[in-house]
Amino acid sequence: MLILAIAKMSQQTTAGEETGETGEVEEADAACCSTGVAIDEASVAADVRLLSALGNDTRYEALRLVAEAGDDGVCVCEVQPALGVSQGAVSQALSRLHGAGLVDRRKEGRWRYYSATPVATRLLDTLDEVRGATDE
Amino acid sequence: MLILAIAKMSQQTTAGEETGETGEVEEADAACCSTGVAIDEASVAADVRLLSALGNDTRYEALRLVAEAGDDGVCVCEVQPALGVSQGAVSQALSRLHGAGLVDRRKEGRWRYYSATPVATRLLDTLDEVRGATDE
DNA sequence: CGCTAATATTAGCATCTGCTGATATAGCTG
DNA sequence: CAGCTATATCAGCAGATGCTAATATTAGCG
């Protein structure tokens, strides 16, 4: 993928922005990127998977509900009426969140409980913070 | 929307989870939710808009590139070859990011520069942190 | 002014997504 | 065991998405 190349181009870009030209980027000057922001393909995929899992009302709301429940988690049987969509849609939503590492799940007899992972908690906190800062 | 109702049900749920029944949730006990996690419909919409804007490779990578460039931002003319998609796709991607409040834009003659907003910076930092914690 | 360059916008298409309803699977009870 | 409940999975459909190519708009130059 392009990301490693992007990181290199970015460094060049900052210096060359006055020219307004796309400029030929030489492969020299590889001794840059000490910012630790260079990001590899797998990380991109992981981030996009996480973000896209949350970029949907039903799934976002499901996660909010799960996160609200705390460490004990919440039973699917309670998520479903709260979300107001079909049982199948709820199950798929929770499965997608689980696949993205945002919820953990456990069985208790017939019942299935979902709880938020630290990743999810952290991300929701950040969203709350940036929204709060933006609402000023 | 359902969210306010969700917040109330969650409180009840924690107490009633042993019953395994969906239980009739009374409207009483409204004196809860001191955690500040109750979230309104507009906030959900805002968060989902932000998250879905980023839940796509092209747009995520565009934002990464913009964020790398620092306060001066990056010229579209440099983003396009870096992303390796059509000029139109780049423009749409940046427009979507702007609409989600993740990038600011300015004109300099023929050139258009995009820079990351604090919201974007913060979110990307969090993603890096949780990914870093997860990769252990 | 005409022309070129940069880039936003539009139209259209293939593919993807999210939902519903149906079905499959697992657990519990008498 | 049969019957019921909880919930995961599947199939299908309508609508959304993301891309390309084309076009429109803006900026700069001789």
Side-chain angles (χ1 to χ4, degrees):
Chain A
M1 198 171 220
L2 299 172
I3 297 297
L4 294 181
I6 292 172
K8 280 186 277 187
M9 290 186 67
S10 301
Q11 301 302 323
Q12 303 294 338
T13 300
T14 309
E17 73 182 46
E18 279 213 9
T19 66
E21 295 177 359
T22 56
E24 292 286 321
V25 180
E26 300 293 337
E27 287 199 353
D29 288 342
C32 55
C33 289
S34 61
T35 60
V37 188
I39 184 168
D40 60 272
E41 184 174 335
S43 298
V44 171
D47 285 0
V48 171
R49 184 167 68 159
L50 187 155
L51 293 160
S52 57
L54 273 183
N56 161 269
D57 281 330
T58 301
R59 293 197 295 275
Y60 177 88
E61 288 169 19
L63 183 61
R64 277 286 174 190
L65 187 54
V66 169
E68 278 274 319
D71 288 348
D72 291 343
V74 64
C75 173
V76 177
C77 60
E78 285 160 321
V79 176
Q80 198 261 332
L83 290 187
V85 291
S86 71
Q87 180 268 318
V90 170
S91 205
Q92 287 180 21
L94 291 171
S95 184
R96 175 76 179 270
L97 292 174
H98 182 248
L102 293 164
V103 293
D104 289 323
R105 59 190 176 188
R106 71 177 193 274
K107 300 181 185 181
E108 278 184 30
R110 301 179 181 188
W111 288 281
R112 305 291 181 269
Y113 288 83
Y114 284 79
S115 52
T117 62
V119 171
T121 305
R122 183 63 191 280
L123 193 60
L124 292 179
D125 285 347
T126 298
L127 288 169
D128 289 338
E129 286 170 20
V130 297
R131 195 185 333 105
T134 304
D135 285 350
E136 296 178 1
Chain B
M1 198 173 218
L2 300 172
I3 297 296
L4 295 181
I6 292 175
K8 280 186 277 188
M9 292 186 66
S10 301
Q11 302 300 323
Q12 305 295 337
T13 301
T14 307
E17 73 182 41
E18 280 212 9
T19 66
E21 296 179 357
T22 55
E24 291 286 319
V25 182
E26 301 293 338
E27 286 200 358
D29 289 341
C32 56
C33 290
S34 61
T35 60
V37 187
I39 183 168
D40 60 271
E41 182 174 336
S43 297
V44 171
D47 285 0
V48 171
R49 183 166 68 160
L50 187 155
L51 293 160
S52 58
L54 273 183
N56 162 268
D57 282 331
T58 301
R59 293 195 296 273
Y60 177 88
E61 288 169 20
L63 183 60
R64 277 283 174 191
L65 187 55
V66 170
E68 279 274 319
D71 287 347
D72 290 344
V74 64
C75 172
V76 177
C77 61
E78 286 161 319
V79 176
Q80 199 262 329
L83 290 187
V85 291
S86 71
Q87 178 269 318
V90 169
S91 206
Q92 288 180 20
L94 291 171
S95 184
R96 176 77 180 269
L97 292 175
H98 182 248
L102 293 164
V103 291
D104 289 323
R105 60 192 177 188
R106 70 177 193 273
K107 299 180 183 180
E108 279 185 29
R110 304 180 180 188
W111 290 280
R112 305 291 181 268
Y113 288 83
Y114 284 79
S115 50
T117 61
V119 171
T121 303
R122 184 63 193 279
L123 192 59
L124 293 179
D125 285 346
T126 298
L127 289 169
D128 289 339
E129 286 169 21
V130 297
R131 196 185 333 105
T134 302
D135 284 352
E136 295 177 3

